[in-house]
Amino acid sequence: MSLAGALWFAVQDDLFSNGLCNNTPSPSISISNTTQDKQSSISEPISASETPSVLDELDDRYISQCLRLNRQCLRFIIDFIQARLKKDVFAPSHSLTSAEANILATLAYYAQGSLPSKITDRMGIDQTAAVEAVKTITKLLSDVSPDFITFPNSYNDRMGAAQAFKNLSGIPHVVGVLGYLHVKVSPPLGEELMYLNTLGYHSVMMQVIFDVDGNLLSLEQCCPGGTPEHTLWENSDIGRQFSIFQHGHTWVVGSRSLLGCGHVLTPVEAFRIKSNAALRFNKAHAQLHSRAQQVFGCLKSRFHCLRDIGSVQSPESVACTIKACCVLHNICKKFSVPLPWDFNVEPLHPPSEVVNIMTEQPFDYMEDTKDEMIEMFFNIAEEEGE
């Protein structure tokens, strides 16, 4: 179980103990040991045995193909959302059966990218109710994203994350991989250029940091797809936290577009490579950074709504949908939901032109620090190999 999982369950235990559920489960970081207890504790105060369940009428094949989840994970999501809706005095009142149907319809929209009548008919609700449910539940999941998407803030948590990355790549003090999720959109009229990304299509982009297992640790800065990546990092909350050493002397792994950004570990530029150690470092860096293709591919394969979200008025108008899917991604990771059958990796975006400007700077303390790290950790590997 990864670091993010431990923090995530701690948040859930806090939610349970503050009134969402009557029974508080024993703290644990093992999903295999706690899932059964959490399911019973969260569902007992919400679902009475005599209440008909829409979920129980769906077979496992339908759940896998239509919702792209498994039953255990789905039961948790439904119970959690029902608990939140029950606690919200301003939320519309629904019976337990209709609330469950609305949640299932919303999850079907995320998975399919649309909500055809054959799905709403299967759930027993009309299209108007389903559309309103998608809005309500998307807002709810977006609002709880800070509870499910958490960064390792303590020293011990950071060292645990860093050790996992070092075991995989040999690079020390890395606590996350920094990437930018692009979601295809139809941009507002007259703003097409702002939304044009380096792969040549219009998108909104969200800054994401994830751990060695693909759990999302940080999510912010939804912007037009043409925004330079270094601008997002330097103006993000997490970027400012790193700049004041709130996370200690640690790194995040990033692309060449982030060359010169504080605490972002980028590959060695070709003209600076003068040893086999630098080549080995670049190979290790690519091994970590390419995991963004897997993570973003998983998100878009499980949640087809992220493949093309359609017309937008502003990035903020779609940020809630992206955050909601990211929350569900982390829940899926905890319940070990298999990858969808049509999983495809997401292509990496080429660096923007800002790289060429930034490489002309005469002094870069990050490059000096990186050179020292390569000399210390990757020359040792070279000597052992010889």
Side-chain angles (χ1 to χ4, degrees), residues 243-321:
S243 71
I244 61 174
F245 293 90
Q246 182 173 326
H247 301 292
H249 294 273
T250 58
W251 316 80
V252 290
V253 166
S255 72
R256 290 176 53 242
S257 293
L258 296 160
L259 183 66
C261 292
H263 293 267
V264 180
L265 193 58
T266 58
V268 179
E269 293 294 287
F271 70 90
R272 292 175 62 95
I273 296 177
K274 300 176 182 178
S275 67
N276 288 333
L279 290 172
R280 262 193 294 277
F281 165 79
N282 273 7
K283 183 177 180 180
H285 181 282
Q287 180 186 16
L288 294 185
H289 189 254
S290 64
R291 294 174 86 87
Q293 295 176 275
Q294 302 287 329
V295 173
F296 296 156
C298 178
L299 276 162
K300 290 189 177 182
S301 296
R302 193 180 306 284
F303 307 112
H304 284 190
C305 66
L306 298 182
R307 292 182 172 182
D308 188 343
I309 217 155
S311 299
V312 298
Q313 297 304 313
S314 68
E316 292 76 16
S317 64
V318 297
C320 283
T321 300

Side-chain angles (χ1 to χ4, degrees), residues 54-245:
V54 181
L55 176 58
D56 291 341
E57 297 175 2
L58 305 179
D59 59 47
D60 290 342
R61 186 171 182 269
Y62 184 87
I63 291 172
S64 175
Q65 293 189 353
C66 181
L67 304 177
R68 298 175 178 266
L69 301 168
N70 62 29
R71 188 175 298 275
Q72 190 180 42
C73 177
L74 192 52
R75 183 75 266 169
F76 175 85
I77 293 169
I78 291 171
D79 289 343
F80 175 78
I81 293 175
Q82 284 182 330
R84 296 291 301 205
L85 290 173
K86 185 178 180 181
K87 188 178 182 183
D88 186 358
V89 297
F90 297 104
S93 178
H94 297 284
S95 70
L96 291 175
T97 301
S98 65
E100 185 176 74
N102 287 336
I103 294 166
L104 288 168
T106 301
L107 296 174
Y109 164 73
Y110 297 150
Q112 301 297 320
S114 62
L115 201 54
S117 58
K118 66 179 181 179
I119 291 179
T120 54
D121 290 346
R122 181 75 180 265
M123 304 304 172
I125 57 176
D126 61 49
Q127 281 282 335
T128 302
V131 170
E132 288 304 311
V134 169
K135 293 178 182 177
T136 299
I137 294 168
T138 298
K139 177 65 164 54
L140 183 154
L141 289 172
S142 175
D143 288 345
V144 300
S145 61
D147 296 331
F148 287 85
I149 302 172
T150 56
F151 200 80
N153 285 312
S154 74
Y155 175 82
N156 288 339
D157 288 341
R158 287 195 298 271
M159 291 305 100
Q163 188 61 51
F165 278 110
K166 189 173 187 296
N167 291 344
L168 179 65
S169 67
I171 304 176
H173 309 306
V174 171
V175 292
V177 177
L178 174 62
Y180 293 87
L181 172 66
H182 284 261
V183 177
K184 186 178 180 181
V185 299
S186 298
L189 188 64
E191 299 181 15
E192 291 84 359
L193 189 59
M194 289 175 56
Y195 286 80
L196 187 65
N197 63 37
T198 55
L199 282 180
Y201 66 89
H202 298 105
S203 67
V204 295
M205 59 193 295
M206 185 81 87
Q207 180 176 283
V208 177
I209 300 175
F210 56 87
D211 71 8
V212 73
D213 294 318
N215 296 290
L216 307 186
L217 306 177
S218 174
L219 182 69
E220 59 178 306
Q221 296 287 89
C222 190
C223 297
T227 308
E229 292 179 358
H230 75 93
T231 300
L232 269 69
W233 173 253
E234 291 170 352
N235 290 283
S236 66
D237 290 338
I238 192 71
R240 285 189 285 267
Q241 290 170 14
F242 270 94
S243 71
I244 61 174
F245 293 90

Side-chain angles (χ1 to χ4, degrees), residues 323-377:
K323 288 181 180 180
C325 291
C326 288
V327 166
L328 295 173
H329 167 85
N330 272 9
I331 295 175
C332 289
K333 295 292 291 183
K334 303 307 165 282
F335 282 88
S336 301
V337 180
L339 288 173
W341 63 271
D342 58 349
F343 167 77
N344 287 303
V345 297
E346 179 77 356
L348 288 175
H349 286 249
S352 58
E353 295 181 0
V354 70
V355 171
N356 297 325
I357 298 172
M358 297 184 73
T359 52
E360 296 174 2
Q361 296 180 354
F363 174 74
D364 185 344
Y365 84 92
M366 288 299 296
E367 287 300 307
D368 284 357
T369 305
K370 181 167 65 182
D371 290 343
E372 292 173 4
M373 182 268 292
I374 292 172
E375 179 72 22
M376 180 177 298
F377 289 91

